Amino acid sequence: MKNTTSFLLTLSLLLFLSLPTPSLSAERCNPHDKKVLLQIKQSFNNPYILASWVPTYDCCDWYVVECDPTTNRINSLTLFGGVQGGGNLSGQIPAAVGDLPFLETLILHKLSNLTGPIPPAIAKLSHLKTLWLSWTNLTGPVPSFLSQLKNLTFLDLSFNDLTGSIPMELSLLKNLAGIRLDRNKLTGPIPDWRFTGNAPDINLSHNKLTGQIPESFGYYNYTRLDFSRNMLSGDLSFMFGSNKTVQIVDFSRNTFEFNMSNVVFPASLTSLDLNHNRIFGSLPVGLTALEFQFLNVSYNRLCGKIPMGGKLQRFDATSYFHNRCLCGTPLTAC
């Protein structure tokens, strides 16, 4: 009997020790961050996608947010529409977003009921590295105050209804690796950006930009450039050269005008789209040395025989047709 009692006492003690204690189950979430997130939820009219955001739960376990594993401060807020179910989220970006001081990633994507301008409060996010506000109905300008986000490495404001000119100040972002402002309603010239660090990949396509590409763009090496479907003009041959490292360029559907005959294209180039411009001259023989995956020079004013060799004959007639007098395979014989 004594042994049985002793065994039961030992078992009870082990069960008691296995129960969670307040110190082991203490909430990781920073109280300030939780308060701010609840304000954001209220500003968005308590959408279903934020149903897990309730005060009784640890905010580090809430949906669409992440906490830093060391500091337990909120460092990521990613709200997607579509699959993630953010379709019922509506309103403007709350100013309270700027009160998450350790936020590194802010993504609001495919939220068609997200409206209004980009709030100045975002400039307070000094740790922000990724700002991705795309496929929404945001309006107003591309704010110059975004240049205050000194740690920003990626800026995506594509597929919105932003208007006005592109701010010069964005070139002050030394760590920027990529910028997307495509598919908005931006007007005016491309700024004479003078990058102090490495030049970022740039996509400005599908806007209403006018004027010439600033000569300063020829000073830098890029990987990807897309200025297609604007109203840009002038000579862009200075964007190429044997010392460049660009891989993918799309300057199609503008009114660029220059002689292509003597342009030297870099060995790194794998995709070149110049269709629907006013480019004249002939195709340089140097194109045969390039490992093209895509090429389109149609709807220009080119003449002469298409050089034989390399990848040039692997593309069909649609890559070359509707020029002034271009001929040779895959077009008709000269």
Side-chain angles (χ1 to χ4, degrees):
M1 182 70 178
K2 183 177 180 181
N3 290 337
T4 301
T5 303
S6 177
F7 172 76
L8 291 174
L9 287 173
T10 302
L11 182 61
S12 299
L13 179 61
L14 289 173
L15 289 172
F16 174 78
L17 292 175
S18 68
L19 293 174
T21 63
S23 60
L24 292 176
S25 61
E27 185 170 334
R28 295 176 296 148
C29 178
N30 180 274
H32 169 82
D33 291 351
K34 173 178 277 191
K35 180 180 178 181
V36 171
L37 290 172
L38 290 172
Q39 290 173 353
I40 292 172
K41 179 183 179 182
Q42 186 176 17
S43 297
F44 282 139
N45 298 314
N46 301 310
Y48 176 74
I49 191 175
L50 304 182
S52 68
W53 291 21
V54 291
T56 53
Y57 293 163
D58 188 333
C59 76
C60 288
D61 297 325
W62 288 356
Y63 192 45
V64 304
V65 297
E66 294 180 10
C67 286
D68 182 274
T70 303
T71 65
N72 293 325
R73 300 303 298 264
I74 296 292
N75 63 4
S76 177
L77 171 57
T78 59
L79 278 165
F80 286 79
V83 176
Q84 209 183 58
N88 67 329
L89 185 149
S90 62
Q92 301 189 12
I93 300 176
V97 168
D99 296 325
L100 295 171
F102 293 92
L103 204 63
E104 296 181 8
T105 300
L106 175 59
I107 299 177
L108 304 174
H109 178 64
K110 285 195 173 183
L111 301 169
S112 59
N113 294 320
L114 188 65
T115 59
I118 299 172
I122 285 181
K124 297 192 295 182
L125 300 174
S126 60
H127 291 83
L128 201 64
K129 296 179 180 178
T130 297
L131 179 59
W132 183 0
L133 313 175
S134 64
W135 292 78
T136 75
N137 277 303
L138 292 175
T139 55
V142 176
S144 59
F145 60 68
L146 295 180
S147 63
Q148 299 175 37
L149 302 173
K150 300 302 182 183
N151 288 305
L152 202 64
T153 59
F154 183 68
L155 174 63
D156 187 344
L157 303 179
S158 63
F159 289 86
N160 291 300
D161 288 317
L162 301 177
T163 55
S165 58
I166 300 173
M168 174 76 75
E169 292 85 352
L170 293 183
S171 63
L172 299 176
L173 295 170
K174 297 181 181 181
N175 298 308
L176 201 61
I179 177 170
R180 290 195 59 177
L181 303 179
D182 50 299
R183 295 181 185 268
N184 281 284
K185 299 174 182 176
L186 302 175
T187 55
I190 296 175
D192 189 11
W193 280 334
R194 308 287 176 125
F195 299 105
T196 53
N198 293 325
D201 294 343
I202 303 173
N203 191 337
L204 306 178
S205 71
H206 292 78
N207 280 290
K208 300 177 181 179
L209 301 174
T210 55
Q212 301 187 15
I213 296 179
E215 288 190 11
S216 60
F217 275 65
Y219 304 156
Y220 305 100
N221 274 315
Y222 306 89
T223 302
R224 296 169 178 254
L225 288 174
D226 189 346
F227 297 163
S228 63
R229 293 180 183 266
N230 281 286
M231 295 179 283
L232 299 168
S233 58
D235 185 357
L236 56 76
S237 59
F238 65 91
M239 297 294 295
F240 303 106
S242 60
N243 62 330
K244 301 295 185 181
T245 59
V246 67
Q247 297 176 17
I248 299 172
V249 294
D250 189 346
F251 296 130
S252 64
R253 295 183 181 271
N254 284 283
T255 57
F256 292 118
E257 188 171 358
F258 63 95
N259 188 340
M260 192 171 175
S261 305
N262 297 315
V263 176
V264 177
F265 291 92
S268 56
L269 193 63
T270 60
S271 179
L272 175 65
D273 196 344
L274 299 174
N275 80 79
H276 286 83
N277 281 288
R278 299 174 181 175
I279 302 167
F280 58 94
S282 59
L283 294 178
V285 175
L287 292 176
T288 61
L290 304 183
E291 295 294 323
F292 280 122
Q293 297 176 16
F294 181 86
L295 174 67
N296 194 336
V297 294
S298 64
Y299 290 91
N300 279 287
R301 300 173 181 178
L302 296 166
C303 274
K305 185 177 181 179
I306 299 172
M308 291 293 296
K311 300 292 182 71
L312 299 190
Q313 277 66 47
R314 297 189 181 184
F315 300 101
D316 62 25
T318 59
S319 292
Y320 301 101
F321 67 178
H322 291 281
N323 273 285
R324 181 162 291 170
C325 48
L326 205 58
C327 58
T329 309
L331 299 179
T332 57
C334 296

